[in-house]
Amino acid sequence: MVDSTAVAAALNALRIEVPSWAFANSGTRFKVFAQPGVPRDPYEKIADAAQVHRFTGAAPTVSLHIPWDAVSDYGDLAKHATDLGVGIGVVNANLFQDDDYRLGSVAHADPRVRGKALDHLYECLDIMAATGSPDLKLWFADGTNYPGQDDIRDRQDRLAEALSAVYARLGDAQRLLLEYKLFEPAFYTTDVPDWGTAYAHCLELGPRAKVVVDTGHHAPGTNIEFIVAFLLRAERLGAFDFNSRFYADDDLMVGAADPFQLFRIMYEVVRGGALAPESGVTFMLDQCHNIEPKIPAQIRSVLNVQEATAKALLVDRPALSAAQRAGDVLGANAVLMDAYNTDVRPLLARLREDQGLDPDPMAAYARSGYPEKIVAERVGGRQAGWEA
Ligand code: LRH
Ligand code: MN
């Protein structure tokens, strides 16, 4: 039997961090489509992020990306967030948009370039001190495009050297989150291509180095929930970058392309005891809304994670374990599918009402007047995008 009070408590405690860059213009190499009302600076990005929390009650922090969110006073930006009822979460470094990084950043053969990259990472640590951010998230575009272009092992040595230099400067309450990605923008080797490489570097660094699982960063057909189960068992899962994809790193809304996969992932999170905020696993969205309205897309994404999590919490664990122990293959699978096939939307709507929220956040946002307000106000200036 499932304890509905525990399910409600767990769902009410679920927190999802939204990325500042999801509110800015984004696209592909073919086109970046501008949208009316898009923020022009980090202050407006945070104002939009606060709308996601206002209507879902479950998105109280915003990830920053440096220098996309560079400001003259990070303390003031953090105060702006607090005034809007949210906080600054993870700080993302950016070592993939400077001409010096054409052949890599921390893994580059040239010590001058590696030094420049390290300086950026140290700058991000200073920003974290100013915003009170707990985590530094590192994704490296570093890699090669052709066999022989550089020495695979030398690049690992350079990467390890840079990571340990940053790790040594972490504050006591700070963590280093290392994100892996199979390919793109490099197309032959990527220096942190998979969970095993990220995990190995984290073990080498120390207990406050954890792995980030971006759900769009795997080869097609990869069993991501296995990776989640393994990293949770090893206490090395630090965070998720949630999104979904049909082909590559499409960065579509989480749960849109494969809601069953998201359910299976959240079941391993529940089974691993990693749902509670104190578990140390940060649930973040990392998405680009290239054609769809951005704030509603972020609200929809939070709802998708809530729905997958509610289904995962409804799995009858004792019945599942009994069937598993009995070798009852179909019985065990049926227990999981029963939960997955449960319509949890009425449950979530009731929980929102209990929190004084509108049961339908999408509809509530649509009639809030905010969409029209930002289109009317945000005239002139340069819309934010993937450039500083
Ligand atoms: C790389 C990535 C990383 C971010 C970027 C916006 O693909 O997933 O997490 O820096 O997207
Ligand atoms: Mn990511």
Side-chain angles (χ1 to χ4, degrees):
M1 221 11 247
V2 173
D3 171 354
S4 57
T5 317
V7 168
L11 286 170
N12 286 338
L14 178 63
R15 295 288 174 267
I16 297 148
E17 182 159 309
V18 298
S20 66
W21 56 96
F23 303 99
N25 286 327
S26 60
T28 70
R29 58 186 166 172
F30 301 104
K31 173 68 176 162
V32 172
F33 294 101
Q35 294 187 24
V38 156
R40 281 88 48 99
D41 60 47
Y43 286 81
E44 292 182 344
K45 291 180 196 174
I46 289 175
D48 290 1
Q51 293 299 306
V52 179
H53 188 49
R54 174 184 169 197
F55 291 100
T56 66
T61 52
V62 189
S63 311
L64 297 185
H65 216 297
I66 307 298
W68 297 342
D69 298 316
V71 292
S72 54
D73 183 341
Y74 286 98
D76 181 62
L77 187 69
K79 182 181 171 313
H80 169 73
T82 309
D83 294 348
L84 290 169
V86 292
I88 305 291
V90 169
V91 168
N92 288 261
N94 181 331
L95 293 171
F96 53 88
Q97 291 187 309
D98 185 303
D99 287 339
D100 272 341
Y101 301 144
R102 178 170 59 86
L103 303 177
S105 63
V106 294
H108 197 292
D110 181 341
R112 180 192 67 77
V113 175
R114 297 202 299 272
K116 176 177 176 175
L118 259 185
D119 289 345
H120 171 67
L121 301 181
Y122 295 153
E123 179 206 355
C124 288
L125 290 175
D126 298 339
I127 292 168
M128 288 162 64
T131 57
S133 298
D135 295 335
L136 174 64
K137 178 155 152 277
L138 301 180
W139 170 69
F140 299 107
D142 290 44
T144 63
N145 277 3
Y146 298 97
Q149 175 185 330
D150 197 352
D151 185 88
I152 293 173
R153 180 148 172 187
D154 288 349
R155 294 180 71 93
Q156 288 302 308
D157 291 341
R158 298 164 196 155
L159 169 66
E161 192 187 318
L163 288 172
S164 63
V166 174
Y167 190 85
R169 292 214 188 174
L170 285 180
D172 294 346
Q174 296 178 328
R175 301 185 307 171
L176 183 158
L177 302 179
L178 183 58
E179 182 177 0
Y180 60 87
K181 181 175 180 179
L182 185 63
F183 77 101
E184 189 209 33
F187 296 108
Y188 170 55
T189 67
T190 291
D191 295 306
V192 187
D194 54 29
W195 72 273
T197 307
Y199 176 56
H201 278 291
C202 288
L203 288 180
E204 227 175 275
L205 290 166
R208 284 183 289 117
K210 307 268 184 175
V211 178
V212 177
V213 173
D214 183 312
T215 46
H217 287 186
H218 305 83
T222 299
N223 186 322
I224 298 175
E225 59 270 26
F226 172 87
I227 298 169
V228 170
F230 185 99
L231 290 172
L232 283 173
R233 180 174 174 277
E235 297 183 354
R236 288 292 174 155
L237 178 62
F240 284 97
D241 265 6
F242 280 137
N243 49 63
S244 72
R245 47 60 130 355
F246 290 104
Y247 303 103
D249 190 17
D250 308 349
D251 280 341
L252 300 173
M253 291 189 298
V254 60
D258 190 344
F260 185 41
Q261 180 188 58
L262 181 61
F263 160 76
R264 300 194 313 266
I265 289 170
M266 293 315 290
Y267 173 71
E268 289 305 331
V269 167
V270 170
R271 188 251 176 272
L275 199 56
E278 62 276 5
S279 75
V281 175
T282 306
F283 301 101
M284 302 182 288
L285 302 178
D286 179 4
Q287 299 172 176
C288 296
H289 304 301
N290 300 345
I291 60 173
E292 68 269 30
K294 301 168 189 293
I295 299 170
Q298 286 283 298
I299 294 173
R300 178 70 260 171
S301 301
V302 170
L303 305 186
N304 287 356
V305 178
Q306 289 179 324
E307 289 172 19
T309 306
K311 291 173 185 250
L313 286 162
L314 291 178
V315 172
D316 184 340
R317 301 272 299 280
L320 179 62
S321 309
Q324 289 169 339
R325 281 197 304 278
D328 177 1
V329 176
L330 295 180
N333 176 251
V335 172
L336 217 69
M337 295 314 290
D338 284 349
Y340 178 65
N341 293 320
T342 303
D343 184 354
V344 293
R345 293 171 295 183
L347 163 65
L348 289 165
R350 272 199 313 282
L351 289 179
R352 292 185 190 108
E353 284 173 326
D354 296 350
Q355 293 173 52
L357 294 166
D358 189 290
D360 182 348
M362 293 292 282
Y365 173 74
R367 62 172 182 271
S368 69
Y370 191 83
E372 296 77 13
K373 174 175 156 321
I374 54 178
V375 169
E377 285 175 1
R378 296 177 182 171
V379 179
R382 186 164 70 99
Q383 291 190 329
W386 276 43
E387 63 290 316

